[in-house]
Amino acid sequence: MPSEYAKALGARLRAIRTQQGLSLHGVEEKSRGRWKAVVVGSYERGDRAVTVQKLNELAEFYGVPVNELLPGGAAPSPLGPTPKLVIDLERLAQLPKDKAGPLARYAATIQSQRGDYNGKVLSIRQEDLRSLAVIYDKSPAELTEELINWGVLDPEARRAVESF
């Protein structure tokens, strides 16, 4: 019988796989047989123990840090919580597409992945801001300032960028 930790680890593995739109057979195909569907499925159910090495290899395959696969919350920050990065979707919809198109498409993708269609705001992670900065060919700090100027990010977001 799987332990609670094995079940939680399996749930994290399944969540990452499904976020990437992969079925178990899709994992096997994408990995060219490196990861067998039956093996990944047994890890996800907690029926089979996964070694640290295999977990690291799975993290590399999925393109995520290994700690994203581990169950449990992140360690609390000694400096307190990082301010949230919250995109004002209503304001974003008012901006010209040539200016805000990449951000709008990125936000729509996140909404789709999360099934979050409240339409008013969208919380993003620091990693999302880094990705957006690459798309806009700016540093995260420069992009944060631009998004604040556009009115889609709260000025409090500057604190989140300081922790980069």
Side-chain angles (χ1 to χ4, degrees), residues 46-74:
D47 293 339
R48 184 178 192 151
V50 59
T51 65
V52 173
Q53 180 179 345
K54 295 283 187 196
L55 193 62
N56 186 53
E57 291 170 13
L58 262 176
E60 287 177 9
F61 172 74
Y62 287 133
V64 300
V66 73
N67 65 327
E68 286 294 317
L69 300 179
L70 299 174

PDB file of all heavy atoms in Angstrom, residues 46-74:
ATOM      1  N   GLY A  46       1.813   6.114  -6.895  1.00  0.00           N
ATOM      2  CA  GLY A  46       2.544   5.836  -5.663  1.00  0.00           C
ATOM      3  C   GLY A  46       2.783   4.356  -5.457  1.00  0.00           C
ATOM      4  O   GLY A  46       3.175   3.923  -4.380  1.00  0.00           O
ATOM      5  N   ASP A  47       2.551   3.558  -6.503  1.00  0.00           N
ATOM      6  CA  ASP A  47       2.723   2.113  -6.417  1.00  0.00           C
ATOM      7  C   ASP A  47       4.180   1.690  -6.553  1.00  0.00           C
ATOM      8  O   ASP A  47       4.533   0.561  -6.222  1.00  0.00           O
ATOM      9  CB  ASP A  47       1.926   1.405  -7.526  1.00  0.00           C
ATOM     10  CG  ASP A  47       0.430   1.550  -7.350  1.00  0.00           C
ATOM     11  OD1 ASP A  47      -0.008   1.829  -6.219  1.00  0.00           O
ATOM     12  OD2 ASP A  47      -0.295   1.389  -8.349  1.00  0.00           O
ATOM     13  N   ARG A  48       4.997   2.571  -7.066  1.00  0.00           N
ATOM     14  CA  ARG A  48       6.398   2.248  -7.321  1.00  0.00           C
ATOM     15  C   ARG A  48       7.257   3.368  -6.755  1.00  0.00           C
ATOM     16  O   ARG A  48       6.992   4.539  -7.005  1.00  0.00           O
ATOM     17  CB  ARG A  48       6.603   2.116  -8.832  1.00  0.00           C
ATOM     18  CG  ARG A  48       7.961   1.699  -9.254  1.00  0.00           C
ATOM     19  CD  ARG A  48       7.989   1.566 -10.762  1.00  0.00           C
ATOM     20  NE  ARG A  48       9.196   0.910 -11.201  1.00  0.00           N
ATOM     21  CZ  ARG A  48       9.284   0.194 -12.292  1.00  0.00           C
ATOM     22  NH1 ARG A  48       8.237   0.032 -13.072  1.00  0.00           N
ATOM     23  NH2 ARG A  48      10.429  -0.346 -12.633  1.00  0.00           N
ATOM     24  N   ALA A  49       8.300   3.005  -6.034  1.00  0.00           N
ATOM     25  CA  ALA A  49       9.204   4.004  -5.463  1.00  0.00           C
ATOM     26  C   ALA A  49      10.058   4.598  -6.575  1.00  0.00           C
ATOM     27  O   ALA A  49      10.524   3.886  -7.463  1.00  0.00           O
ATOM     28  CB  ALA A  49      10.091   3.376  -4.399  1.00  0.00           C
ATOM     29  N   VAL A  50      10.245   5.902  -6.518  1.00  0.00           N
ATOM     30  CA  VAL A  50      11.076   6.582  -7.499  1.00  0.00           C
ATOM     31  C   VAL A  50      12.358   7.034  -6.801  1.00  0.00           C
ATOM     32  O   VAL A  50      12.309   7.608  -5.716  1.00  0.00           O
ATOM     33  CB  VAL A  50      10.326   7.768  -8.158  1.00  0.00           C
ATOM     34  CG1 VAL A  50       9.867   8.790  -7.159  1.00  0.00           C
ATOM     35  CG2 VAL A  50      11.168   8.431  -9.230  1.00  0.00           C
ATOM     36  N   THR A  51      13.488   6.711  -7.405  1.00  0.00           N
ATOM     37  CA  THR A  51      14.762   7.107  -6.803  1.00  0.00           C
ATOM     38  C   THR A  51      14.988   8.602  -7.018  1.00  0.00           C
ATOM     39  O   THR A  51      14.360   9.219  -7.878  1.00  0.00           O
ATOM     40  CB  THR A  51      15.940   6.336  -7.439  1.00  0.00           C
ATOM     41  OG1 THR A  51      16.050   6.717  -8.815  1.00  0.00           O
ATOM     42  CG2 THR A  51      15.764   4.835  -7.305  1.00  0.00           C
ATOM     43  N   VAL A  52      15.895   9.148  -6.247  1.00  0.00           N
ATOM     44  CA  VAL A  52      16.242  10.561  -6.399  1.00  0.00           C
ATOM     45  C   VAL A  52      16.770  10.812  -7.804  1.00  0.00           C
ATOM     46  O   VAL A  52      16.429  11.810  -8.442  1.00  0.00           O
ATOM     47  CB  VAL A  52      17.275  10.988  -5.325  1.00  0.00           C
ATOM     48  CG1 VAL A  52      17.773  12.393  -5.581  1.00  0.00           C
ATOM     49  CG2 VAL A  52      16.674  10.864  -3.938  1.00  0.00           C
ATOM     50  N   GLN A  53      17.581   9.898  -8.302  1.00  0.00           N
ATOM     51  CA  GLN A  53      18.144  10.047  -9.652  1.00  0.00           C
ATOM     52  C   GLN A  53      17.029  10.075 -10.699  1.00  0.00           C
ATOM     53  O   GLN A  53      17.025  10.922 -11.587  1.00  0.00           O
ATOM     54  CB  GLN A  53      19.128   8.918  -9.947  1.00  0.00           C
ATOM     55  CG  GLN A  53      19.743   9.023 -11.342  1.00  0.00           C
ATOM     56  CD  GLN A  53      20.738   7.920 -11.634  1.00  0.00           C
ATOM     57  OE1 GLN A  53      21.188   7.233 -10.736  1.00  0.00           O
ATOM     58  NE2 GLN A  53      21.083   7.763 -12.894  1.00  0.00           N
ATOM     59  N   LYS A  54      16.085   9.142 -10.593  1.00  0.00           N
ATOM     60  CA  LYS A  54      14.977   9.093 -11.554  1.00  0.00           C
ATOM     61  C   LYS A  54      14.102  10.337 -11.440  1.00  0.00           C
ATOM     62  O   LYS A  54      13.633  10.869 -12.442  1.00  0.00           O
ATOM     63  CB  LYS A  54      14.124   7.839 -11.341  1.00  0.00           C
ATOM     64  CG  LYS A  54      14.836   6.554 -11.604  1.00  0.00           C
ATOM     65  CD  LYS A  54      14.964   6.292 -13.076  1.00  0.00           C
ATOM     66  CE  LYS A  54      15.536   4.900 -13.281  1.00  0.00           C
ATOM     67  NZ  LYS A  54      16.030   4.707 -14.627  1.00  0.00           N
ATOM     68  N   LEU A  55      13.893  10.806 -10.215  1.00  0.00           N
ATOM     69  CA  LEU A  55      13.095  12.012 -10.018  1.00  0.00           C
ATOM     70  C   LEU A  55      13.779  13.208 -10.681  1.00  0.00           C
ATOM     71  O   LEU A  55      13.128  14.024 -11.340  1.00  0.00           O
ATOM     72  CB  LEU A  55      12.885  12.267  -8.522  1.00  0.00           C
ATOM     73  CG  LEU A  55      11.835  13.303  -8.168  1.00  0.00           C
ATOM     74  CD1 LEU A  55      10.453  12.875  -8.645  1.00  0.00           C
ATOM     75  CD2 LEU A  55      11.817  13.530  -6.663  1.00  0.00           C
ATOM     76  N   ASN A  56      15.093  13.293 -10.535  1.00  0.00           N
ATOM     77  CA  ASN A  56      15.854  14.357 -11.176  1.00  0.00           C
ATOM     78  C   ASN A  56      15.751  14.262 -12.699  1.00  0.00           C
ATOM     79  O   ASN A  56      15.569  15.274 -13.388  1.00  0.00           O
ATOM     80  CB  ASN A  56      17.318  14.318 -10.736  1.00  0.00           C
ATOM     81  CG  ASN A  56      18.100  15.493 -11.264  1.00  0.00           C
ATOM     82  OD1 ASN A  56      17.709  16.640 -11.086  1.00  0.00           O
ATOM     83  ND2 ASN A  56      19.202  15.206 -11.940  1.00  0.00           N
ATOM     84  N   GLU A  57      15.827  13.056 -13.220  1.00  0.00           N
ATOM     85  CA  GLU A  57      15.715  12.858 -14.666  1.00  0.00           C
ATOM     86  C   GLU A  57      14.314  13.216 -15.161  1.00  0.00           C
ATOM     87  O   GLU A  57      14.160  13.803 -16.236  1.00  0.00           O
ATOM     88  CB  GLU A  57      16.064  11.411 -15.032  1.00  0.00           C
ATOM     89  CG  GLU A  57      17.536  11.083 -14.835  1.00  0.00           C
ATOM     90  CD  GLU A  57      17.836   9.589 -14.977  1.00  0.00           C
ATOM     91  OE1 GLU A  57      16.977   8.823 -15.455  1.00  0.00           O
ATOM     92  OE2 GLU A  57      18.954   9.198 -14.598  1.00  0.00           O
ATOM     93  N   LEU A  58      13.292  12.877 -14.387  1.00  0.00           N
ATOM     94  CA  LEU A  58      11.926  13.263 -14.757  1.00  0.00           C
ATOM     95  C   LEU A  58      11.764  14.778 -14.746  1.00  0.00           C
ATOM     96  O   LEU A  58      11.123  15.350 -15.636  1.00  0.00           O
ATOM     97  CB  LEU A  58      10.911  12.634 -13.787  1.00  0.00           C
ATOM     98  CG  LEU A  58      10.228  11.361 -14.222  1.00  0.00           C
ATOM     99  CD1 LEU A  58       9.327  10.834 -13.109  1.00  0.00           C
ATOM    100  CD2 LEU A  58       9.446  11.523 -15.493  1.00  0.00           C
ATOM    101  N   ALA A  59      12.342  15.430 -13.750  1.00  0.00           N
ATOM    102  CA  ALA A  59      12.277  16.893 -13.677  1.00  0.00           C
ATOM    103  C   ALA A  59      12.926  17.504 -14.921  1.00  0.00           C
ATOM    104  O   ALA A  59      12.388  18.439 -15.518  1.00  0.00           O
ATOM    105  CB  ALA A  59      12.960  17.397 -12.405  1.00  0.00           C
ATOM    106  N   GLU A  60      14.076  16.967 -15.319  1.00  0.00           N
ATOM    107  CA  GLU A  60      14.738  17.460 -16.527  1.00  0.00           C
ATOM    108  C   GLU A  60      13.866  17.229 -17.754  1.00  0.00           C
ATOM    109  O   GLU A  60      13.740  18.097 -18.614  1.00  0.00           O
ATOM    110  CB  GLU A  60      16.098  16.778 -16.708  1.00  0.00           C
ATOM    111  CG  GLU A  60      17.152  17.268 -15.736  1.00  0.00           C
ATOM    112  CD  GLU A  60      18.476  16.537 -15.880  1.00  0.00           C
ATOM    113  OE1 GLU A  60      18.656  15.748 -16.841  1.00  0.00           O
ATOM    114  OE2 GLU A  60      19.345  16.765 -15.013  1.00  0.00           O
ATOM    115  N   PHE A  61      13.248  16.052 -17.833  1.00  0.00           N
ATOM    116  CA  PHE A  61      12.374  15.739 -18.966  1.00  0.00           C
ATOM    117  C   PHE A  61      11.207  16.737 -19.044  1.00  0.00           C
ATOM    118  O   PHE A  61      10.872  17.235 -20.115  1.00  0.00           O
ATOM    119  CB  PHE A  61      11.839  14.307 -18.853  1.00  0.00           C
ATOM    120  CG  PHE A  61      10.781  13.980 -19.867  1.00  0.00           C
ATOM    121  CD1 PHE A  61      11.119  13.761 -21.197  1.00  0.00           C
ATOM    122  CD2 PHE A  61       9.448  13.911 -19.499  1.00  0.00           C
ATOM    123  CE1 PHE A  61      10.143  13.484 -22.139  1.00  0.00           C
ATOM    124  CE2 PHE A  61       8.468  13.625 -20.429  1.00  0.00           C
ATOM    125  CZ  PHE A  61       8.816  13.407 -21.758  1.00  0.00           C
ATOM    126  N   TYR A  62      10.594  17.013 -17.885  1.00  0.00           N
ATOM    127  CA  TYR A  62       9.468  17.944 -17.860  1.00  0.00           C
ATOM    128  C   TYR A  62       9.911  19.407 -17.936  1.00  0.00           C
ATOM    129  O   TYR A  62       9.090  20.295 -18.122  1.00  0.00           O
ATOM    130  CB  TYR A  62       8.622  17.728 -16.598  1.00  0.00           C
ATOM    131  CG  TYR A  62       7.794  16.467 -16.611  1.00  0.00           C
ATOM    132  CD1 TYR A  62       7.778  15.620 -15.510  1.00  0.00           C
ATOM    133  CD2 TYR A  62       7.000  16.126 -17.694  1.00  0.00           C
ATOM    134  CE1 TYR A  62       7.013  14.466 -15.496  1.00  0.00           C
ATOM    135  CE2 TYR A  62       6.233  14.974 -17.693  1.00  0.00           C
ATOM    136  CZ  TYR A  62       6.239  14.147 -16.594  1.00  0.00           C
ATOM    137  OH  TYR A  62       5.471  13.019 -16.589  1.00  0.00           O
ATOM    138  N   GLY A  63      11.204  19.652 -17.738  1.00  0.00           N
ATOM    139  CA  GLY A  63      11.707  21.021 -17.803  1.00  0.00           C
ATOM    140  C   GLY A  63      11.331  21.852 -16.593  1.00  0.00           C
ATOM    141  O   GLY A  63      11.076  23.050 -16.713  1.00  0.00           O
ATOM    142  N   VAL A  64      11.291  21.209 -15.424  1.00  0.00           N
ATOM    143  CA  VAL A  64      10.942  21.916 -14.192  1.00  0.00           C
ATOM    144  C   VAL A  64      12.020  21.654 -13.140  1.00  0.00           C
ATOM    145  O   VAL A  64      12.693  20.620 -13.200  1.00  0.00           O
ATOM    146  CB  VAL A  64       9.560  21.478 -13.635  1.00  0.00           C
ATOM    147  CG1 VAL A  64       8.453  21.759 -14.633  1.00  0.00           C
ATOM    148  CG2 VAL A  64       9.547  20.020 -13.232  1.00  0.00           C
ATOM    149  N   PRO A  65      12.184  22.559 -12.185  1.00  0.00           N
ATOM    150  CA  PRO A  65      13.113  22.267 -11.086  1.00  0.00           C
ATOM    151  C   PRO A  65      12.613  21.050 -10.302  1.00  0.00           C
ATOM    152  O   PRO A  65      11.405  20.865 -10.150  1.00  0.00           O
ATOM    153  CB  PRO A  65      13.052  23.522 -10.210  1.00  0.00           C
ATOM    154  CG  PRO A  65      12.396  24.567 -11.039  1.00  0.00           C
ATOM    155  CD  PRO A  65      11.557  23.865 -12.062  1.00  0.00           C
ATOM    156  N   VAL A  66      13.520  20.241  -9.813  1.00  0.00           N
ATOM    157  CA  VAL A  66      13.132  19.018  -9.111  1.00  0.00           C
ATOM    158  C   VAL A  66      12.258  19.328  -7.895  1.00  0.00           C
ATOM    159  O   VAL A  66      11.352  18.555  -7.566  1.00  0.00           O
ATOM    160  CB  VAL A  66      14.372  18.163  -8.738  1.00  0.00           C
ATOM    161  CG1 VAL A  66      15.156  18.770  -7.609  1.00  0.00           C
ATOM    162  CG2 VAL A  66      13.970  16.739  -8.414  1.00  0.00           C
ATOM    163  N   ASN A  67      12.469  20.476  -7.253  1.00  0.00           N
ATOM    164  CA  ASN A  67      11.649  20.792  -6.075  1.00  0.00           C
ATOM    165  C   ASN A  67      10.178  21.007  -6.444  1.00  0.00           C
ATOM    166  O   ASN A  67       9.314  20.905  -5.583  1.00  0.00           O
ATOM    167  CB  ASN A  67      12.214  21.988  -5.309  1.00  0.00           C
ATOM    168  CG  ASN A  67      12.162  23.270  -6.086  1.00  0.00           C
ATOM    169  OD1 ASN A  67      12.282  23.278  -7.309  1.00  0.00           O
ATOM    170  ND2 ASN A  67      12.007  24.373  -5.387  1.00  0.00           N
ATOM    171  N   GLU A  68       9.881  21.269  -7.716  1.00  0.00           N
ATOM    172  CA  GLU A  68       8.483  21.396  -8.149  1.00  0.00           C
ATOM    173  C   GLU A  68       7.773  20.047  -8.112  1.00  0.00           C
ATOM    174  O   GLU A  68       6.559  19.991  -8.058  1.00  0.00           O
ATOM    175  CB  GLU A  68       8.405  21.974  -9.561  1.00  0.00           C
ATOM    176  CG  GLU A  68       8.706  23.453  -9.639  1.00  0.00           C
ATOM    177  CD  GLU A  68       7.662  24.300  -8.928  1.00  0.00           C
ATOM    178  OE1 GLU A  68       6.448  24.038  -9.063  1.00  0.00           O
ATOM    179  OE2 GLU A  68       8.069  25.245  -8.236  1.00  0.00           O
ATOM    180  N   LEU A  69       8.541  18.977  -8.160  1.00  0.00           N
ATOM    181  CA  LEU A  69       7.950  17.645  -8.132  1.00  0.00           C
ATOM    182  C   LEU A  69       7.710  17.146  -6.713  1.00  0.00           C
ATOM    183  O   LEU A  69       6.950  16.211  -6.504  1.00  0.00           O
ATOM    184  CB  LEU A  69       8.848  16.647  -8.874  1.00  0.00           C
ATOM    185  CG  LEU A  69       9.104  16.946 -10.357  1.00  0.00           C
ATOM    186  CD1 LEU A  69      10.019  15.884 -10.948  1.00  0.00           C
ATOM    187  CD2 LEU A  69       7.809  17.032 -11.134  1.00  0.00           C
ATOM    188  N   LEU A  70       8.370  17.762  -5.753  1.00  0.00           N
ATOM    189  CA  LEU A  70       8.267  17.305  -4.373  1.00  0.00           C
ATOM    190  C   LEU A  70       6.994  17.827  -3.710  1.00  0.00           C
ATOM    191  O   LEU A  70       6.639  18.993  -3.884  1.00  0.00           O
ATOM    192  CB  LEU A  70       9.486  17.753  -3.576  1.00  0.00           C
ATOM    193  CG  LEU A  70      10.821  17.220  -4.080  1.00  0.00           C
ATOM    194  CD1 LEU A  70      11.966  17.852  -3.308  1.00  0.00           C
ATOM    195  CD2 LEU A  70      10.864  15.708  -3.983  1.00  0.00           C
ATOM    196  N   PRO A  71       6.319  16.991  -2.964  1.00  0.00           N
ATOM    197  CA  PRO A  71       5.116  17.442  -2.271  1.00  0.00           C
ATOM    198  C   PRO A  71       5.447  18.395  -1.127  1.00  0.00           C
ATOM    199  O   PRO A  71       6.582  18.463  -0.666  1.00  0.00           O
ATOM    200  CB  PRO A  71       4.484  16.161  -1.739  1.00  0.00           C
ATOM    201  CG  PRO A  71       5.486  15.097  -1.872  1.00  0.00           C
ATOM    202  CD  PRO A  71       6.589  15.581  -2.769  1.00  0.00           C
ATOM    203  N   GLY A  72       4.453  19.107  -0.707  1.00  0.00           N
ATOM    204  CA  GLY A  72       4.632  20.046   0.405  1.00  0.00           C
ATOM    205  C   GLY A  72       4.868  21.443  -0.103  1.00  0.00           C
ATOM    206  O   GLY A  72       5.238  21.654  -1.256  1.00  0.00           O
ATOM    207  N   GLY A  73       4.636  22.393   0.752  1.00  0.00           N
ATOM    208  CA  GLY A  73       4.814  23.792   0.387  1.00  0.00           C
ATOM    209  C   GLY A  73       6.267  24.177   0.323  1.00  0.00           C
ATOM    210  O   GLY A  73       7.142  23.467   0.807  1.00  0.00           O
ATOM    211  N   ALA A  74       6.501  25.288  -0.277  1.00  0.00           N
ATOM    212  CA  ALA A  74       7.859  25.825  -0.324  1.00  0.00           C
ATOM    213  C   ALA A  74       8.257  26.278   1.072  1.00  0.00           C
ATOM    214  O   ALA A  74       7.412  26.613   1.896  1.00  0.00           O
ATOM    215  CB  ALA A  74       7.910  27.000  -1.289  1.00  0.00           C
TER     216      ALA A  74
END
